[in-house]
Amino acid sequence: MMHARFAAIGVAFGFALSRTGFSSWERTHAMFTLRDLHLVFAFAMAVGLLAVGWLAVQAFSREKPEWAPRNIHRGTVLGSVLFGTGWAISGACPSVALVQLGEGQLGAAFTLAGIFVGNYAYATARERWLHWNTGSCVDD
Amino acid sequence: MTVVWSWWASGFALAALMLGHWLLTGRMFAVSGRYTAIVDRVRQGAPVEPTLSDAEMIEAIRVMTAEQLGPDAVTPAGRAPLSEPVVKRALPWTVHLAFLGAVLVGGLASALLPGGPGLLREFGGAAFARIFGGHNGTELLALLVGGLLVGAGTRMAGGCTSGHGLCGVSRFQRGSLVSTFTFFGAGIVVSMVLSRLAA
């Protein structure tokens, strides 16, 4: 039941990313080279609506929702530089690699493998050498 | 011809999904953390199941606290006794796997359903081929390297386009604002350089 609920949202999300154009390497490249701001506008529209949405959630909830803060830590800037670089090269953020694969862009299997291996490698590297906690993006 | 939604309809759909996720599941929408949960399941093996239920655990903590600090420490005057688990249980890793699989199915549905391009055969288009040199091993190597950077970077930054970019920025979280400006900035610089090099 719980699986079905998350899966339903996942299917709709994958569909929406595809029809927004986020799964197109060409559109992503056009966004980053500032030749076509379609994706930036879509992103900004979502952020604006969400800002209003969260305020509404807080206003209408009986109990104030507890959201873990997302603070700046030692991995914020370097991690984001690595991510932005990887996104520009592969044309994929973590969900987009899956959308591309679903669309039949089979090359994205390499991106997907890279994401899993990169995540694993960073976790191992942090444990052995870095000893810092960079928090987690998991549902808070 | 492929139908691409207008930017405002796209933004509306994405925002509705993130809000719907919160309302349906009580959790923030975040994708890179799902990879982390699956990777950690592989790294660490099956988690040790707690032998006590949440209620039993809370009762045990309450008894120990009362023994050490006196009964006033557990039920301060005017406060209801603790009854709800304070920390949310982590979701089972299979939920994360189901979600990621579902995103892939969403991409497949978009390709095949009316308005979609049909199943795509090749990755990317003209600019991708121009920059990474036609259809040979270089393209796949680029995707692999890009994926490695995305995987390591999102775990290091503690979020990606959904958790930091959409849900974090819209709640004005400092870490998310810095992260989002940084990854968009890095993406712009790298894409400009790639574009110049291939020109």
Side-chain angles (χ1 to χ4, degrees), chain B residues 123-144:
Chain B
F123 187 93
F128 179 72
R130 180 167 52 84
I131 288 172
F132 293 112
H135 297 284
N136 55 43
T138 334
E139 293 189 336
L140 300 179
L141 186 65
L143 293 179
L144 182 66

Side-chain angles (χ1 to χ4, degrees), chain B residues 85-180:
Chain B
V86 185
V87 178
K88 266 180 208 157
R89 277 281 174 86
L91 288 169
W93 71 285
T94 49
V95 167
H96 299 303
L97 194 62
F99 182 92
L100 295 185
V103 173
L104 189 150
V105 172
L108 178 66
S110 167
L112 296 181
L113 288 177
L119 213 52
L120 300 170
R121 303 286 169 185
E122 282 176 358
F123 187 93
F128 179 72
R130 180 167 52 84
I131 288 172
F132 293 112
H135 297 284
N136 55 43
T138 334
E139 293 189 336
L140 300 179
L141 186 65
L143 293 179
L144 182 66
V145 170
L148 286 169
L149 293 170
V150 169
T154 51
R155 180 154 192 172
M156 191 173 188
C160 61
T161 332
S162 54
H164 271 324
L166 290 171
C167 294
V169 169
S170 62
R171 289 180 294 128
F172 309 107
Q173 297 294 303
R174 270 184 301 171
S176 298
L177 289 163
V178 170
S179 172
T180 304

Side-chain angles (χ1 to χ4, degrees), chain B residues 1-191:
Chain B
M1 186 58 205
T2 309
V3 174
V4 174
W5 295 341
S6 66
W7 58 267
W8 54 269
S10 300
F12 194 87
L14 293 173
L17 279 165
M18 316 251 141
L19 278 168
H21 187 276
W22 164 257
L23 295 174
L24 278 173
T25 71
R27 289 161 194 264
M28 268 294 154
F29 191 103
V31 175
S32 69
R34 301 186 184 283
Y35 284 89
T36 295
I38 293 167
V39 164
D40 284 350
R41 176 65 176 68
V42 174
R43 275 165 51 82
Q44 294 154 5
V48 181
E49 287 295 322
T51 50
L52 297 177
S53 71
D54 285 340
E56 288 169 330
M57 184 72 83
I58 286 167
E59 191 50 38
I61 292 169
R62 188 205 303 281
V63 168
M64 283 166 66
T65 311
E67 278 172 4
Q68 293 226 332
L69 304 171
D72 288 347
V74 275
T75 47
R79 276 195 70 182
L82 204 58
S83 59
E84 288 289 309
V86 185
V87 178
K88 266 180 208 157
R89 277 281 174 86
L91 288 169
W93 71 285
T94 49
V95 167
H96 299 303
L97 194 62
F99 182 92
L100 295 185
V103 173
L104 189 150
V105 172
L108 178 66
S110 167
L112 296 181
L113 288 177
L119 213 52
L120 300 170
R121 303 286 169 185
E122 282 176 358
F123 187 93
F128 179 72
R130 180 167 52 84
I131 288 172
F132 293 112
H135 297 284
N136 55 43
T138 334
E139 293 189 336
L140 300 179
L141 186 65
L143 293 179
L144 182 66
V145 170
L148 286 169
L149 293 170
V150 169
T154 51
R155 180 154 192 172
M156 191 173 188
C160 61
T161 332
S162 54
H164 271 324
L166 290 171
C167 294
V169 169
S170 62
R171 289 180 294 128
F172 309 107
Q173 297 294 303
R174 270 184 301 171
S176 298
L177 289 163
V178 170
S179 172
T180 304
F181 273 102
T182 309
F183 66 64
F184 268 115
I188 289 170
V189 170
V190 171
S191 293

Side-chain angles (χ1 to χ4, degrees), chain A residues 72-84:
Chain A
I72 300 167
H73 52 69
R74 282 195 280 183
T76 303
V77 171
L78 181 56
S80 301
V81 168
L82 296 180
F83 169 39

Side-chain angles (χ1 to χ4, degrees), chain A residues 5 23 36 55 57 73 78 102 109 125 129 135 137:
Chain A
R5 209 181 309 170
S23 54
D36 181 354
L55 290 177
V57 166
H73 52 69
L78 181 56
W129 300 301
C137 176

Side-chain angles (χ1 to χ4, degrees), chain A residues 38-124:
Chain A
H38 173 86
L39 293 178
V40 177
F41 289 150
F43 182 86
M45 179 77 179
V47 167
L49 288 169
L50 281 171
V52 177
W54 301 131
L55 290 177
V57 166
Q58 284 177 316
F60 292 111
S61 305
R62 257 169 291 155
E63 291 172 42
K64 207 169 183 224
E66 282 179 27
W67 291 320
R70 287 174 165 274
N71 294 321
I72 300 167
H73 52 69
R74 282 195 280 183
T76 303
V77 171
L78 181 56
S80 301
V81 168
L82 296 180
F83 169 39
T85 304
W87 189 6
I89 294 172
S90 67
C93 59
S95 20
V96 160
L98 293 158
V99 178
Q100 291 170 337
L101 199 53
E103 290 171 340
Q105 303 194 67
L106 299 184
F110 283 77
T111 317
L112 191 61
I115 294 174
F116 274 111
V117 173
N119 184 306
Y120 195 112
Y122 171 70
T124 305

